[in-house]
Amino acid sequence: METVNSTTKDINLKDLLDLNYGFVRSKVLDFSLKLNLFDIVESTCKNQVEAISEITSIKKENVKKLLEALVYMGLLSKESDIYLNTSKYLCSSSKDYIGEHLALVFKQWDSWGALDTIMLKNERNDNSQLLLHMKKKSYNLAFPIVERLLSTLPYNFDNTRVLDYHCGEGEWTYALAKKYNEAVIDAFDSEEYKKVFNERMKTNYKNCQDNIKFISRINDEYDYIILSNFLRFYGEEYSKTLLVSLQRHLKDNGKIIIYDVFHSDEANGPSIANLLDLSMLVNTCSGGIFTINEACSLLKETGFQIENIFDTKPYPILIARSEKY
């Protein structure tokens, strides 16, 4: 059989080696976060090696090696003998801290370690709740994206009732409340997210408290339902059941807004969707990335009419209308 070499560009050797040693960087970051190392660096400016050694009980020479590795990775900088943080995301005192999200990412290691078994024997693991929890702990990463996304949608949410389904820490709720202070928003999720959700509301959106309510049961009908980054964690049958259930909570001509990762129906080159599709294989029993056409077909099968598809970045937004009567 004739073979065709389809390589168009050779990967840089450094990039290749960085991929191979990626686990080293991940482990160094994970360990540093567990030590609260970036907090210690932030709070000290003299005798940092000694301070870290005393707090963590790590030998001074090993502390020095760890700090120098973090400088190489770009997570610390060094001026004379003083180490400085380079990222606003790694200190727990920062409003942009994402340490909880990263800690959940690291917990996927066991699942990815089983990649051989999953691929060769098709024995999938159910790690979906961890992935969902990780997604819901990404407020500081997601909120700026959601604010930008809302500005692209040609809808006025004032004087409407909105359900933010599986809201997590509430980036969609807060972005809506900030832009549309007359929108009435119910944020639905399990009780474990209620405390953090309410703390964010009190801190950032005091004027909107009467308009926002965290709920753990859905009883009302809505003009809009937000379904963000959720469908990919489950298979086709569960997605159908979910969409039918959500349609019952939409008013006639109410709209569902779906923001998720989708494969393009056209071959446009490499996409993050391909890697996330493999992640669904590794971490879920039946999840996977739909194509946009597959998602539209699911919506039509469950009683929705496709109203619009917005080519937003990094992922598209599907808008579908409920027609009950």
Side-chain angles (χ1 to χ4, degrees):
M1 182 177 66
E2 182 180 355
T3 60
V4 178
N5 186 348
S6 60
T7 301
T8 57
K9 182 180 179 182
D10 195 7
I11 187 170
N12 180 283
L13 181 57
K14 179 183 181 301
D15 293 340
L16 182 60
L17 293 174
D18 282 347
L19 282 174
N20 193 39
Y21 283 97
F23 72 94
V24 176
R25 295 171 181 264
S26 296
K27 189 59 184 178
V28 170
L29 176 56
D30 181 34
F31 181 66
S32 300
L33 286 169
K34 287 175 179 174
L35 288 178
N36 293 317
L37 184 69
F38 302 101
D39 288 29
I40 301 172
V41 168
E42 190 72 15
S43 63
T44 58
C45 60
K46 292 182 179 180
N47 302 318
Q48 288 171 305
V49 172
E50 289 82 356
I52 294 168
S53 177
E54 183 176 341
I55 293 169
T56 63
S57 300
I58 299 173
K59 291 171 63 176
K60 291 180 186 178
E61 53 265 39
N62 291 341
V63 169
K64 180 79 170 176
K65 290 177 182 179
L66 178 60
L67 292 172
E68 292 296 328
L70 290 166
V71 171
Y72 171 75
M73 291 166 59
L75 299 179
L76 295 178
S77 62
K78 187 179 180 182
E79 297 180 6
S80 187
D81 290 328
I82 304 299
Y83 295 92
L84 302 169
N85 285 310
T86 60
S87 173
K88 64 182 180 179
Y89 296 111
L90 299 177
C91 288
S92 62
S93 59
S94 169
K95 67 180 179 62
D96 297 305
Y97 180 64
I98 62 165
E100 292 181 350
H101 171 78
L102 292 174
L104 293 167
V105 174
F106 295 135
K107 286 186 177 181
Q108 294 181 63
W109 283 349
D110 289 343
S111 294
W112 282 98
L115 181 61
D116 293 22
T117 301
I118 293 165
M119 296 297 291
L120 295 172
K121 298 184 179 180
N122 197 32
E123 295 179 3
R124 299 177 69 167
N125 298 317
D126 186 8
N127 214 13
S128 56
Q129 291 306 308
L130 172 62
L131 291 191
L132 282 168
H133 191 44
M134 183 181 81
K135 186 266 293 188
K136 294 174 186 182
K137 284 287 185 180
S138 61
Y139 175 91
N140 290 323
L141 294 172
F143 181 75
I145 296 173
V146 174
E147 274 198 304
R148 178 177 55 78
L149 292 172
L150 279 178
S151 68
T152 68
L153 297 180
Y155 301 108
N156 185 342
F157 294 91
D158 276 331
N159 301 308
T160 66
R161 290 188 61 85
V162 181
L163 174 66
D164 183 2
Y165 185 77
H166 273 277
C167 63
E169 295 187 358
E171 59 268 15
W172 280 89
T173 293
Y174 296 136
L176 281 164
K178 185 177 178 182
K179 187 174 176 66
Y180 302 99
N181 57 22
E182 295 181 19
V184 177
I185 307 167
D186 284 348
F188 167 81
D189 215 316
S190 58
E191 286 288 324
E192 67 178 300
Y193 298 102
K194 185 175 183 178
K195 181 179 179 181
V196 174
F197 180 97
N198 286 335
E199 285 175 353
R200 289 194 187 281
M201 181 174 71
K202 291 174 184 176
T203 301
N204 300 321
Y205 300 93
K206 295 178 182 178
N207 295 332
C208 300
Q209 289 187 38
D210 293 339
N211 296 348
I212 301 174
K213 181 172 58 176
F214 187 97
I215 62 173
S216 297
R217 242 182 118 94
I218 306 172
N219 295 315
D220 294 322
E221 288 191 334
Y222 299 90
D223 299 288
Y224 295 94
I225 293 178
I226 308 291
L227 182 61
S228 174
N229 287 301
F230 195 79
L231 283 182
R232 67 178 181 271
F233 296 99
Y234 301 99
E236 181 178 344
E237 291 307 312
Y238 179 91
S239 297
K240 286 180 183 177
T241 302
L242 173 64
L243 291 170
V244 168
S245 175
L246 291 178
Q247 197 209 37
R248 297 192 190 107
H249 294 288
L250 275 172
K251 298 176 182 179
D252 189 32
N253 287 318
K255 298 176 177 62
I256 188 167
I257 299 174
I258 298 177
Y259 178 67
D260 214 321
V261 183
F262 296 106
H263 287 300
S264 172
D265 292 295
E266 300 175 0
N268 292 322
S271 165
I272 187 63
N274 298 324
L275 187 58
L276 290 174
D277 205 1
L278 184 61
S279 180
M280 295 302 104
L281 175 67
V282 169
N283 287 288
T284 71
C285 286
S286 55
I289 307 296
F290 294 111
T291 68
I292 294 175
N293 281 343
E294 287 170 342
C296 290
S297 295
L298 279 175
L299 287 162
K300 291 174 183 176
E301 286 179 42
T302 51
F304 289 93
Q305 297 296 319
I306 306 301
E307 183 167 285
N308 219 325
I309 301 174
F310 294 94
D311 187 19
T312 48
K313 305 296 181 184
Y315 314 126
I317 293 179
L318 305 185
I319 312 287
R321 185 176 67 255
S322 171
E323 294 184 344
K324 295 184 179 180
Y325 309 110

